[in-house]
Amino acid sequence: TSQFGDFSLRGLNLEWNDVTYTFAIGVLFLLLRAALNKVVFYPLAWHMMGPLNVPLSPKRRIDVQKFVKYSWHLVVYICLWVWCIRILSNQPWFQINIEGVDAVWVQYPHPPEEKLPLKPVMLVEAGWYLHGLVESLLVDGSRKDFMMLMVHHALAVILIFGALWGNAHRVGMWVLVIQDVSDIVMYIAKVVQKCVRYEWMQSAALHTFLLVSLTGAWLLTRILLLGFIVVRAFHLHWSSGIVWPSHANFDFPSMYLIGQVALFWVMQLIWWIGIATMLYNQLTLGRFVDFWHDAPNSSKKV
């Protein structure tokens, strides 16, 4: 039996209209963001950060904007992750164990009919990252990792469509689940840190717990599990030659997909080093600076 699926079936069940739908979904996310910020998240900031109906200092205004963004992202990532898990739970090839992760490259490219129930959530995720590109241009220009963030969002859209077109939808869905679950933990930690109105939410013990949880979740999902997916891709397909330009079996889309997933993993490793550094500072100094997102002088003593 060949170790590969049928390469000739790539592109089935994906149409140009899907690109249009993705842009429309991105616009809808931006409109929904504007509406919920006004109706839900700014009032929530008032309750969690103290009265906001007074002249705000520049730093205070920035913190409010961050709280609003973090809350919006937390709600969306919870919804997307639950949707992904609900759909994947009905797929016979999906298992939440190492065998399930290992199966993402077996018999690649995978049957195109598998992606029909997966395509809606994958297109919505692509629209979400398109929304993220615009949102980052509007509110994240001061971040130290701004360019890496923009590359991350663009790469996510490319990988989602590449996975759909190339019948690597198992890979795409696993990466989305891995991304979303660690994002949920991250935004819970970020929201809590900004809730300065409540003293118990600013305790050293709570912040340490949240940073330990974030560091562990990121390590497990984006470093170990995603790293395993990358290593398994090279382990299965290196000897076959599909990633070697000079080999008779060379397949450019496969080389591009595996290479981009590997680049994606490198970016997660860089971010994790920053998160681990924040945890170290919290444990040793009793404070930390989100040096990716917060200004150098905005460290919190907790």
Side-chain angles (χ1 to χ4, degrees):
T1 303
S2 171
Q3 70 183 96
F4 299 116
D6 192 338
F7 284 90
S8 68
L9 298 179
R10 288 190 298 206
L12 290 182
N13 301 325
L14 186 67
E15 303 172 355
W16 279 109
N17 283 341
D18 295 327
V19 177
T20 304
Y21 297 150
T22 300
F23 276 97
I25 292 167
V27 172
L28 287 175
F29 268 124
L30 289 170
L31 294 174
L32 184 61
R33 170 185 178 272
L36 290 180
N37 282 357
K38 182 176 181 179
V39 176
V40 178
F41 298 126
Y42 273 109
L44 182 63
W46 188 90
H47 287 287
M48 305 306 293
M49 302 182 68
L52 303 178
N53 56 346
V54 294
L56 301 179
S57 67
K59 182 182 182 306
R60 177 74 162 165
R61 185 177 298 108
I62 291 173
D63 282 344
V64 170
Q65 292 172 351
K66 289 177 181 178
F67 177 90
V68 170
K69 176 189 172 182
Y70 299 160
S71 301
W72 160 240
H73 280 231
L74 176 59
V75 169
V76 173
Y77 278 120
I78 290 174
C79 294
L80 289 175
W81 188 77
V82 170
W83 189 11
C84 285
I85 291 297
R86 182 176 178 82
I87 291 175
L88 287 174
S89 65
N90 296 319
Q91 306 306 311
W93 51 267
F94 179 74
Q95 304 175 60
I96 306 179
N97 52 37
I98 199 64
E99 288 80 12
V101 181
D102 188 47
V104 298
W105 289 112
V106 175
Q107 289 295 304
Y108 156 83
H110 302 115
E113 61 271 14
E114 283 184 358
K115 66 187 173 189
L116 288 174
L118 310 178
K119 191 167 76 168
V121 70
M122 293 183 75
L123 293 181
V124 170
E125 290 264 13
W128 168 250
Y129 284 108
L130 279 177
H131 143 277
L133 279 170
V134 178
E135 183 188 51
S136 292
L137 286 171
L138 295 174
V139 302
D140 289 328
S142 61
R143 287 182 59 141
K144 292 183 178 180
D145 61 343
F146 172 73
M147 290 306 301
M148 191 163 71
L149 192 65
M150 296 295 289
V151 171
H152 172 273
H153 293 338
L155 187 59
V157 176
I158 293 170
L159 283 175
I160 290 170
F161 272 97
L164 283 171
W165 178 85
N167 292 342
H169 38 272
R170 296 184 188 179
V171 181
M173 286 298 295
W174 258 109
V175 172
L176 289 174
V177 168
I178 287 171
Q179 292 279 117
D180 290 350
V181 69
S182 50
D183 277 324
I184 290 169
V185 178
M186 178 178 68
Y187 283 111
I188 289 174
K190 285 177 173 284
V191 166
V192 169
Q193 188 204 13
K194 298 301 181 186
C195 294
V196 295
R197 185 173 188 174
Y198 298 94
E199 185 175 347
W200 68 271
M201 299 182 79
Q202 298 303 302
S203 70
L206 178 59
H207 284 199
T208 300
F209 170 77
L210 290 171
L211 275 174
V212 169
S213 300
L214 175 57
T215 305
W218 202 285
L219 177 65
L220 175 62
T221 58
R222 299 195 184 200
I223 305 302
L224 297 181
L225 286 179
L226 183 58
F228 180 80
I229 289 174
V230 173
V231 170
R232 188 59 170 150
F234 284 105
H235 178 257
L236 280 176
H237 300 308
W238 188 272
S239 61
S240 69
I242 65 172
V243 295
W244 284 96
S246 59
H247 198 281
N249 290 333
F250 173 64
D251 182 64
F252 177 79
S254 297
M255 182 197 71
Y256 183 81
L257 174 67
I258 295 172
Q260 293 302 297
V261 174
L263 174 61
F264 209 64
W265 179 85
V266 171
M267 297 173 69
Q268 310 312 314
L269 179 61
I270 293 171
W271 271 316
W272 182 81
I273 292 172
I275 294 170
T277 301
M278 287 187 279
L279 175 60
Y280 175 80
N281 289 339
Q282 175 69 20
L283 293 173
T284 58
L285 304 176
R287 64 182 182 182
F288 71 93
V289 177
D290 183 350
F291 54 82
W292 294 122
H293 205 170
D294 290 334
N297 61 354
S298 63
S299 60
K300 288 190 64 67
K301 185 72 176 179
V302 294

